[in-house]
Amino acid sequence: MRLTFVFALALLGFILVPPTNFSQGGQPSGQMETSRGVAGGGVSVPGWTGKIDAKEEAAGMTLNSAKLTKDGDALHVTTGPAVTYWNTVNKASGDYTVKATFKEPKYMNLNSHPHPYGLVIAGNDLGTDQQSYLYCAAYGNGNFIVRGFGPAPFQMNGPRGSADPAVNKAAGVGEPVTQEIAISVRGEKVECAINNKVVASYDKSALVTSGKLKSTDGVYGIRFAHNTEAFVTGLTITKP
């Protein structure tokens, strides 16, 4: 009888503990926050557009729930739902490096745990349900993720991402943190560098394949998780 009672308690505990799933933003679902719409949202930078994630659309969010504006020479992004922004004139092909600097002026000012932001390359069919692209994004706590859509989400460095000493850490909540992010395509390699150190390298064949990228050629842009604010400067492409 006692053994039966203990077994029943153990079984009940197993049933009540929910499974841990991970979002495309890199956080366990139990840590996920509800995306909050941004007042005065929308895209006000000429030539630019964007698309929020499908799960955000299913929750009733729109592109106007996030905000992309120009602040001097910087793109100022405030989310809202997780979103990818691009300008269709920004195209890359062959071998190239795309880079930009991301400054989070007040670390975690809109969220309760770190959220990532970074670069997008290889964008094809953007804005449609068949879009594909790769992104490398940094957190202000020293972690980074390499992920994409093809069109379903895929992960290249695990569900939690990875830590690397090259990724800058904010001194504390509300403090500024800056990351310089670059993604390079060279021959048969695709690499992400953060603050001038390569933190991830992949064979092109591991990326340009069924369920991932259509090509490493395509539009480049920027990617932000939900409830995040940062400024982007120096978005440029160079050829070898």
Side-chain angles (χ1 to χ4, degrees):
M1 182 69 180
R2 180 179 177 84
L3 286 176
T4 302
F5 178 72
V6 171
F7 175 78
L9 284 178
L11 180 61
L12 179 62
F14 175 80
I15 293 171
L16 292 177
V17 175
T20 301
N21 295 314
F22 293 87
S23 71
Q24 187 69 357
Q27 296 293 334
S29 59
Q31 294 181 15
M32 288 183 67
E33 304 163 343
T34 300
S35 298
R36 300 180 293 274
V38 177
V43 177
S44 61
V45 182
W48 283 73
T49 187
K51 183 174 176 57
I52 66 172
D53 288 4
K55 64 183 180 181
E56 305 277 24
E57 292 177 336
M61 292 283 180
T62 71
L63 188 58
N64 288 334
S65 302
K67 183 161 64 174
L68 173 65
T69 63
K70 197 75 181 293
D71 189 336
D73 63 351
L75 296 170
H76 183 189
V77 177
T78 310
T79 62
V83 60
T84 297
Y85 291 114
W86 67 89
N87 186 326
T88 55
V89 303
N90 292 336
K91 294 181 179 178
S93 62
D95 288 359
Y96 59 86
T97 297
V98 174
K99 68 177 182 179
T101 299
F102 295 77
K103 181 177 181 180
E104 190 174 3
K106 295 180 180 180
Y107 174 59
M108 288 176 52
N109 67 321
L110 299 179
N111 47 59
S112 62
H113 55 266
H115 290 181
Y117 36 81
L119 284 177
V120 167
I121 66 161
N124 285 282
D125 299 315
L126 292 179
T128 76
D129 60 2
Q130 292 302 308
Q131 67 181 4
S132 60
Y133 60 84
L134 180 76
Y135 66 94
C136 180
Y139 297 79
N141 67 349
N143 291 349
F144 74 96
I145 51 174
V146 182
R147 298 187 176 179
F149 290 86
F154 65 87
Q155 302 168 343
M156 296 305 296
N157 67 332
R160 296 178 183 267
S162 308
D164 194 282
V167 185
N168 291 328
K169 295 181 180 181
V173 174
E175 296 297 319
V177 60
T178 300
Q179 317 283 358
E180 183 177 298
I181 303 175
I183 305 179
S184 299
V185 178
R186 296 190 185 95
E188 295 305 310
K189 289 288 186 181
V190 178
E191 296 180 336
C192 176
I194 299 180
N195 301 318
N196 299 310
K197 177 191 174 185
V198 174
V199 295
S201 180
Y202 305 98
D203 291 337
K204 188 184 291 187
S205 59
L207 293 166
V208 182
T209 187
S210 177
K212 293 181 181 175
L213 302 182
K214 299 177 179 72
S215 170
T216 53
D217 296 349
V219 174
Y220 60 90
I222 55 178
R223 163 86 184 175
F224 277 71
H226 66 293
N227 300 341
T228 304
E229 180 184 19
F231 294 84
V232 185
T233 55
L235 178 62
T236 56
I237 180 172
T238 57
K239 302 282 286 185

